[in-house]
């Protein structure tokens, strides 16, 4: 069974631009969560989607948004990029929210904002 | 305020010895705890978990201990192997977390020397 895939793997953007990252969960997994990893803060929860609905949201500004499609694939968007948005963005999938807390992570998208 | 803390940024152990990684939490509503391992350029990989109704869970060389009264958990790796060298993250989730949002510690880098 294929794992969680994320595209692109690396991305360089300039301040003020926007970016869209994509995540395909493990086949059969319906819950997708997004995390931001930075050296100083570790992994921080961004948001979670299940059945095309955002179920939970972390403490991030409104510039960070996401969506989920009917095939469970998910995208996250960051608008008006800031230098501090440079980070590794990780997507994780699980079968259903609440049925298991084990989440399976993709390799991440490394975003650099210059 | 950090709800999950890994106070040791790094740990060095010799091959064959025991590695003990520690994690403290502050939120008494957490009811499920997980350990993840992360290699560079890869997403975190689920290792082992424990429910708050248990005090120990074992899986091969990995054992997690939970002390609820102290709000402390630890991961024991016996015997340690060079391939265990990675960053280890402690994570928690609970009844006040909608969906499957995980709260992560900042990680401990384990180095196992041969």
């Amino acid at each position: 069974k294929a794992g969680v895939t994320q595209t692109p793997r690396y991305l360089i953007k300039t301040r003020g631009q926007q970016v869209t990252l994509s995540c395909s969960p493990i086949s059969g997994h319906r819950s997708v969560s997004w995390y931001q990893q930075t050296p100083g803060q570790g992994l921080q929860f961004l948001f979670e989607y299940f059945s095309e609905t955002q179920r939970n949201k972390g403490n991030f500004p409104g510039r960070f948004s996401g969506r989920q499609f009917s095939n469970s694939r998910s995208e996250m968007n960051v608008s008006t990029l800031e230098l501090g948005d440079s980070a590794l963005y990780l997507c994780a999938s699980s079968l259903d929210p609440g049925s298991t807390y084990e989440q399976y992570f993709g390799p991440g998208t490394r975003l650099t904002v210059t | 305020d950090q709800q999950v803390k890994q106070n040791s940024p790094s740990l060095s152990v010799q091959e064959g010895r025991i590695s003990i990684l520690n994690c403290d939490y502050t939120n008494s509503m957490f009811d499920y705890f997980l350990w993840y391992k992360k290699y560079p350029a890869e997403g975190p990989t689920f290792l082992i978990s424990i429910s708050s109704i248990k005090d120990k869970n074992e899986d091969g060389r990995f054992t997690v201990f939970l002390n609820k009264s102290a709000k402390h958990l630890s991961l024991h790796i016996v015997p340690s192997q060079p391939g265990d060298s990675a960053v280890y993250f402690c994570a928690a989730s609970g009844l006040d977390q909608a969906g499957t949002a995980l709260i992560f510690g900042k990680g401990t880098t384990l180095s196992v020397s041969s």
Side-chain angles (χ1 to χ4, degrees):
Chain A
K1 186 183 273 191
V4 178
T5 58
Q6 292 186 246
T7 56
R9 292 293 309 276
Y10 302 92
L11 206 50
I12 299 175
K13 291 285 189 178
T14 56
R15 279 184 301 174
Q17 286 186 313
Q18 74 164 16
V19 66
T20 299
L21 313 180
S22 180
C23 170
S24 293
I26 292 172
S27 178
H29 284 196
R30 298 191 294 161
S31 175
V32 174
S33 298
W34 288 89
Y35 294 84
Q36 180 195 64
Q37 184 186 10
T38 57
Q41 297 299 320
L43 276 83
Q44 291 187 286
F45 172 72
L46 279 157
F47 29 63
E48 180 201 11
Y49 287 87
F50 175 73
S51 292
E52 302 177 64
T53 301
Q54 186 181 91
R55 284 178 48 92
N56 198 3
K57 184 171 167 53
N59 189 24
F60 278 83
R63 299 184 298 107
F64 292 82
S65 64
R67 60 177 175 169
Q68 186 181 33
F69 302 95
S70 58
N71 61 357
S72 295
R73 191 178 68 86
S74 177
E75 289 181 347
M76 69 162 280
N77 184 276
V78 188
S79 62
T80 320
L81 284 166
E82 301 177 358
L83 294 178
D85 297 334
S86 295
L88 180 68
Y89 290 88
L90 292 158
C91 166
S93 74
S94 59
L95 279 168
D96 288 291
S99 65
T100 173
Y101 289 105
E102 287 93 7
Q103 297 183 14
Y104 298 85
F105 284 82
T109 294
R110 172 72 63 186
L111 171 65
T112 302
V113 182
T114 61
Chain B
D1 184 37
Q2 259 195 293
Q3 297 186 69
V4 177
K5 298 180 185 179
Q6 293 177 258
N7 292 319
S8 298
S10 61
L11 175 67
S12 294
V13 171
Q14 281 193 318
E15 181 179 8
R17 301 290 191 109
I18 183 172
S19 295
I20 300 176
L21 297 100
N22 294 302
C23 179
D24 297 297
Y25 62 96
T26 58
N27 190 338
S28 58
M29 295 296 286
F30 287 147
D31 67 347
Y32 207 78
F33 303 90
L34 308 90
W35 285 94
Y36 281 83
K37 177 170 74 172
K38 187 179 185 300
Y39 294 117
E42 294 182 13
T45 303
F46 169 73
L47 262 181
I48 191 169
S49 61
I50 187 168
S51 164
S52 61
I53 62 173
K54 296 184 176 181
D55 55 17
K56 177 182 174 181
N57 187 26
E58 194 171 350
D59 183 2
R61 297 186 297 115
F62 302 91
T63 303
V64 57
F65 295 92
L66 175 62
N67 182 333
K68 283 185 65 177
S69 60
K71 293 192 177 68
H72 176 84
L73 65 155
S74 60
L75 174 67
H76 293 211
I77 306 173
V78 184
S80 301
Q81 299 173 353
D84 296 330
S85 297
V87 179
Y88 288 78
F89 290 97
C90 170
S93 190
L95 296 173
D96 67 338
Q97 301 290 330
T100 53
L102 295 176
I103 308 301
F104 283 85
K106 293 187 178 182
T108 296
T109 300
L110 174 64
S111 299
V112 181
S113 57
S114 54

